[in-house]
Amino acid sequence: MMMTRLVAAGAISLLGTGAFAECAFENTVPLKSLSAGFEAWKSVTDAMAECGNFTAELDQEFRTKQPAAFEANPSLYQIGGVSNGTFTPLLNAGTIRPLDDLVEKYGGGLAPNQLIRVDGKIMAIAMMVNTQHLMYREDVLADLGIETPTTYDAVLAAAEKIKEAGVVEYPVGATMKSGWNIAQDFNNMFLGYGGTFVNADNTPAVNTEAGLQALETMKALTVYMDPEYLVSDSTYVQQQFQQGKIAMANLWSSRAGAMDDPAESTVVGKVKMGMAPLAVDGGTPATTLWWDGMVIAKNITDEEAEAAFQLIMEGMDEDMVTAANDQAIWLIGGYVPGDVAQGVVATATHDPAPLAYPSTTQMGLMHTALGNELPAFFTGERDAAATLEAVEAAYTTAAKEAGIL
Amino acid sequence: MKFRTFASFVGPSVFLMLLFIAFPLVSVFTQSFQLTQPVMTTVEVETCTPGFLTQTCTTETKTVPKLTATGGVETTTTWVGFRSYQNVLQMDKVWSAVGAGRLGDILQIDFWKALRFTLTFTLITLPLVLIVGMGIALAVNNAAASLKGQIIFISLLPFIITPVIGALSIRWLFIGDGILTVALENLLERDIAMFAQGWTIEILMLFYRVWHVAPFAFVIFYAGLQTVNQDTLESAIIDGASRWERLRFVVIPHLMPLIIFISLIHLMDSYRVFEEIVGFTSQAHVISLQWLTYDFLQPDDSGNRAIGRASASAMLTMIGIVILLVPLLRRTWRDHRGSN
């Protein structure tokens, strides 16, 4: 993959027409973007850069940088990469602009489900869907005669067998870094057990049976993990897979492509994707559905916005998808779901289907409260009930300050 | 000195101190009693998201901030008295924990957990920095003249490294299968995970801080050692004082003002411990007061910053430093009065 891209890059520079070879227009307005840093973003921003005058910042800390950067006038970035989680603060602060007229003018090639509408106005252009689903070492499971687990009970049973066999260092990996990651891991499990985060009057509702069960299952899984799981984020788990240290993980589908990257991975072709496991029989897969896409800042000139939108269209074209087909579950025309998409297809088409991550202020506050308070349960400082109580207290304090309680 | 001359010399510095220290302090103090919050409204919104293969549109009532005509978020500011302090200190939980006789529960509250670590960190590193700094200074002082330059240079290296970079490099040596962890595992023939529990991370942090700050103490002590009265030392030798007795009764009393100076600086610095928390990503196990303030200031996933609580926690941190410094400052004051 890397090699073909290098060769392609070399070929383009040899053409002599410079950077604009693959671009429909020559961009003359200097533009910048800030987005997350996984493979799909790299491909899209690389395609955008071919039009010239564009710098992309791929930063895993974009979540905290983006709201402040877009609030500046003029905005520090014209283009932002968001997901349905990071979309909320920008939308709330009113720092992104409606794209309806730009879509009408330049967006002919967009599929209707790429248009993210809020209150009737198009506020973002989605490019891919993302979800956490089961990734597993097919060879390890086959050798031990384990069927692909579809429930967490089966995952635990499989982990026990793998541990006994001792074929990998740790049977299970998980994105449980304290803060955003561990909170998201809890969200998945909590929804899997049928929980709802807040009541209709905005008071918290995590200290429930579903919350306790979610924590119990997470704790049971940690027995089979690298003991340093509280510092392990998506990249860490991806590397654990690539280095053959783990056999199963509920990991982002955007990381699937990296498993077969021969430059990084020692397990090319051995990692397969399956449905996100169910927490309870007949429930939804214990995960959430996400989309990733782009927004355009409000505090910039109309000229910049127009150039930015054209650039986005260039980044989201069929050529880019053809070249990077397996890096994501693209929503863009020309995408052919391959082997690595099987997990997402199975997850999203399961009946009942998992929920999309809610883009709400309440969820934002809850996510932060969970991220701060959950680690104490896993370090053994607090029991499950006390932890959930602390989460609710932290949420209540923050919600009062934010004016929603 | 004429008052005009004095004023023109001191004026710029007083102005800058007012601008960069006093005014921000007043502002933080005020904000710790205020609460600025967005005006929220409930609206019915239709949101369309990709779903999978087909678009799904849902209509739901959402609580969103009101926007002003110019595009910003409309906010209101109210005086809330000590509410932010209460939210940070959570005294009600502290008293109920004391009442129930479960003192350990207090340490589950962020502020007290942070205070526990900050104090341990400050009070353990202080003597270590003094001892190690003094040790290096004495060693260099007694080393052959031809080696002095090289030894000084090497001893100063840790102090030159940017704190976060230093913390990160130590983290990478130990995290996961870092080379030093693997070396330790081979040596002790057991599985070691330095980042899996709080106390090992704390040891790494203490080690890192002493390693980083000891050169500072060394430089000061080394300069001080050059001014020790040689006649007194020689008469001590004639009186039959051992090396230890000379150190105890001649050198250390002479260096006492420097020891107090280093202690003051170190207490102020290490009470604001922050780089270690970020560098070692220890938030799950160990947090410090300065990190707590920073965490309040970080926007949460809905874009809110807890400015009120951050200000309260910053004020509490300052009060903590002042309390720690009081004994040392009183001593300096006494010495000062005594010498006049």
Side-chain angles (χ1 to χ4, degrees):
Chain A
M1 200 56 165
M2 194 61 207
M3 209 51 218
T4 49
R5 213 182 307 148
L6 278 178
V7 171
I12 292 164
S13 55
L14 282 178
L15 283 176
T17 46
F20 318 115
E22 291 203 350
C23 192
F25 78 112
E26 188 180 330
N27 180 36
T28 50
V29 189
L31 295 171
K32 282 175 81 180
S33 80
L34 175 65
S35 67
F38 50 81
E39 282 296 304
W41 280 112
K42 177 113 181 57
S43 303
V44 173
T45 48
D46 279 354
M48 287 160 77
E50 284 166 6
C51 302
N53 274 321
F54 171 71
T55 32
E57 212 173 300
L58 305 181
D59 186 342
Q60 286 301 80
E61 294 298 318
F62 76 104
R63 194 184 318 282
T64 45
K65 286 166 102 178
Q66 229 167 24
F70 273 63
E71 213 158 303
N73 197 358
S75 170
L76 303 185
Y77 303 92
Q78 288 77 28
I79 303 170
V82 296
S83 67
N84 39 344
T86 49
F87 186 46
T88 315
L90 301 180
L91 196 63
N92 278 354
T95 51
I96 50 177
R97 57 170 68 203
L99 305 171
D100 297 75
D101 40 347
L102 290 171
V103 169
E104 204 174 307
K105 202 164 168 190
Y106 300 105
L110 291 169
N113 67 339
Q114 279 184 271
L115 308 175
I116 307 297
R117 286 175 202 271
V118 178
D119 212 9
K121 283 179 280 195
I122 302 169
M123 297 307 284
I125 308 292
M127 60 177 200
M128 55 177 275
V129 288
N130 200 356
T131 187
Q132 281 178 285
H133 58 56
L134 184 74
M135 295 194 190
Y136 59 97
R137 284 279 298 278
E138 196 188 28
D139 55 330
V140 172
L141 264 61
D143 283 352
L144 298 172
I146 306 169
E147 272 185 44
T148 312
T150 55
T151 64
Y152 271 101
D153 286 338
V155 170
L156 286 167
E160 184 59 39
K161 271 192 188 169
I162 296 170
K163 192 181 179 186
E164 275 169 18
V167 278
V168 287
E169 206 166 339
Y170 307 106
V172 180
T175 49
M176 283 179 72
K177 182 177 174 180
S178 65
W180 192 89
N181 285 283
I182 196 172
Q184 183 49 30
D185 217 53
F186 175 84
N187 292 344
N188 290 336
M189 204 62 92
F190 183 68
L191 290 170
Y193 280 107
T196 42
F197 292 98
V198 284
N199 299 315
D201 59 351
N202 291 343
T203 50
V206 288
N207 192 4
T208 53
E209 195 53 36
L212 292 171
Q213 284 169 332
L215 283 182
E216 201 177 303
T217 309
M218 285 167 79
K219 185 95 169 193
L221 284 164
T222 60
V223 175
Y224 303 104
M225 293 177 197
D226 181 340
E228 291 175 355
Y229 58 84
L230 286 175
V231 291
S232 109
D233 59 8
S234 314
T235 306
Y236 193 84
V237 177
Q238 174 190 320
Q239 287 166 350
Q240 283 183 315
F241 254 127
Q242 288 175 328
Q243 294 162 9
K245 286 183 183 165
I246 58 171
M248 292 183 291
N250 194 39
L251 188 60
W252 294 99
S253 66
S254 52
R255 303 284 175 164
M259 302 300 160
D260 292 339
D261 179 355
E264 292 177 1
S265 176
T266 58
V267 291
V268 175
K270 292 178 183 165
V271 180
K272 293 284 178 277
M273 320 299 147
M275 185 185 75
L278 306 175
V280 284
D281 283 328
T284 63
T287 187
T288 43
L289 292 181
W290 293 68
W291 55 263
D292 284 89
M294 291 196 230
V295 293
I296 296 182
K298 185 174 202 174
N299 296 336
I300 56 173
T301 63
D302 288 344
E303 189 202 0
E304 283 175 319
E306 205 160 327
F309 192 82
Q310 284 175 279
L311 211 54
I312 291 176
M313 290 299 100
E314 199 59 41
M316 293 192 191
D317 67 0
E318 250 187 83
D319 293 346
M320 186 281 300
V321 170
T322 325
N325 193 62
D326 279 349
Q327 283 176 8
I329 314 299
W330 301 103
L331 293 164
I332 304 163
Y335 172 61
V336 190
D339 256 3
V340 290
Q342 293 317 308
V344 180
V345 173
T347 306
T349 55
H350 183 266
D351 185 37
L355 295 175
Y357 180 87
S359 310
T360 60
T361 310
Q362 291 87 329
M363 192 61 222
L365 296 169
M366 182 56 85
H367 203 126
T368 303
L370 286 165
N372 283 342
E373 302 297 335
L374 289 183
F377 170 66
F378 292 95
T379 57
E381 283 168 53
R382 270 198 294 242
D383 63 22
T387 305
L388 293 173
E389 222 168 86
V391 171
E392 294 205 337
Y395 167 85
T396 307
T397 308
K400 276 184 185 158
E401 285 187 359
I404 64 167
L405 259 183
Chain B
M1 199 187 292
K2 273 200 220 141
F3 178 71
R4 274 182 65 89
T5 327
F6 175 73
S8 53
F9 270 111
V10 174
S13 132
V14 168
F15 172 73
L16 288 180
M17 276 167 74
L18 281 175
L19 186 66
F20 291 116
I21 299 176
F23 291 147
L25 205 61
V26 171
S27 152
V28 170
F29 182 71
T30 325
Q31 288 183 62
S32 69
F33 295 105
Q34 284 180 337
L35 178 62
T36 301
Q37 49 185 185
V39 181
M40 300 300 257
T41 51
T42 318
V43 285
E44 191 131 305
V45 187
E46 191 191 23
T47 316
C48 294
T49 52
F52 193 68
L53 303 179
T54 53
Q55 191 166 37
T56 47
C57 291
T58 49
T59 307
E60 48 189 356
T61 46
K62 272 191 175 179
T63 316
V64 295
K66 237 180 175 165
L67 298 182
T68 58
T70 51
V73 175
E74 199 180 325
T75 57
T76 53
T77 302
T78 44
W79 293 92
V80 292
F82 283 92
R83 201 202 294 165
S84 295
Y85 288 90
Q86 162 57 21
N87 284 337
V88 172
L89 291 171
Q90 303 192 15
M91 290 312 287
D92 49 335
K93 279 195 195 160
V94 174
W95 293 128
S96 70
V98 172
R102 288 197 312 260
L103 293 180
D105 284 7
I106 298 176
L107 295 183
Q108 291 171 7
I109 303 165
D110 279 346
F111 175 83
W112 299 99
K113 184 175 162 187
L115 182 68
R116 199 279 304 156
F117 170 71
T118 308
L119 280 178
T120 330
F121 183 81
T122 308
L123 297 177
I124 293 184
T125 49
L126 177 63
L128 289 177
V129 163
L130 289 174
I131 292 170
V132 174
M134 181 75 90
I136 305 175
L138 289 171
V140 171
N141 206 29
N142 293 326
S146 58
L147 286 176
K148 267 184 191 171
Q150 286 89 315
I151 298 180
I152 292 178
F153 176 72
I154 291 171
S155 329
L156 282 180
L157 278 180
F159 196 50
I160 299 170
I161 295 171
T162 313
V164 175
I165 305 293
L168 280 177
S169 35
I170 291 193
R171 172 177 187 253
W172 285 325
L173 288 176
F174 284 102
I175 197 164
D177 284 336
I179 45 173
L180 285 186
T181 308
V182 173
L184 274 177
E185 279 174 351
N186 283 337
L187 202 68
L188 303 172
E189 292 178 349
R190 50 177 295 196
D191 199 28
I192 294 175
M194 291 298 278
F195 285 82
Q197 55 281 316
W199 64 272
T200 40
I201 303 182
E202 278 188 46
I203 289 179
L204 283 182
M205 288 177 169
L206 293 172
F207 167 77
Y208 163 72
R209 183 52 77 106
V210 173
W211 174 79
H212 179 65
V213 182
F216 169 69
F218 149 64
V219 171
I220 308 271
F221 284 142
Y222 184 65
L225 284 178
Q226 309 312 308
T227 65
V228 174
N229 191 325
Q230 294 303 316
D231 295 346
T232 324
L233 268 184
E234 273 168 31
S235 32
I237 294 172
I238 292 165
D239 289 344
S242 68
R243 190 179 273 267
W244 165 246
E245 282 166 335
R246 272 176 280 152
L247 182 66
R248 170 81 182 73
F249 294 106
V250 180
V251 176
I252 289 189
H254 178 74
L255 293 181
M256 210 52 194
L258 293 182
I259 293 178
I260 290 183
F261 166 73
I262 292 170
S263 303
L264 276 175
I265 300 279
H266 184 76
L267 283 178
M268 283 192 275
D269 265 356
S270 56
Y271 198 77
R272 294 183 290 107
V273 45
F274 177 72
E275 291 92 345
E276 281 85 349
I277 307 286
V278 177
F280 290 96
T281 42
S282 69
Q283 296 91 311
H285 302 279
V286 181
I287 57 173
S288 74
L289 289 173
Q290 191 80 352
W291 186 85
L292 192 65
T293 308
Y294 160 84
D295 191 44
F296 286 140
L297 281 177
Q298 285 291 93
D300 62 27
D301 291 312
S302 63
N304 284 303
R305 296 165 200 269
I307 305 280
R309 276 185 285 163
S311 309
S313 136
M315 292 311 291
L316 289 169
T317 309
M318 207 185 67
I319 294 170
I321 297 181
V322 171
I323 293 176
L324 269 187
L325 294 187
V326 162
L328 284 168
L329 288 175
R330 274 182 57 186
R331 195 193 148 103
T332 345
W333 176 243
R334 261 208 323 269
D335 291 352
H336 181 72
R337 255 201 331 207
S339 65
N340 279 355

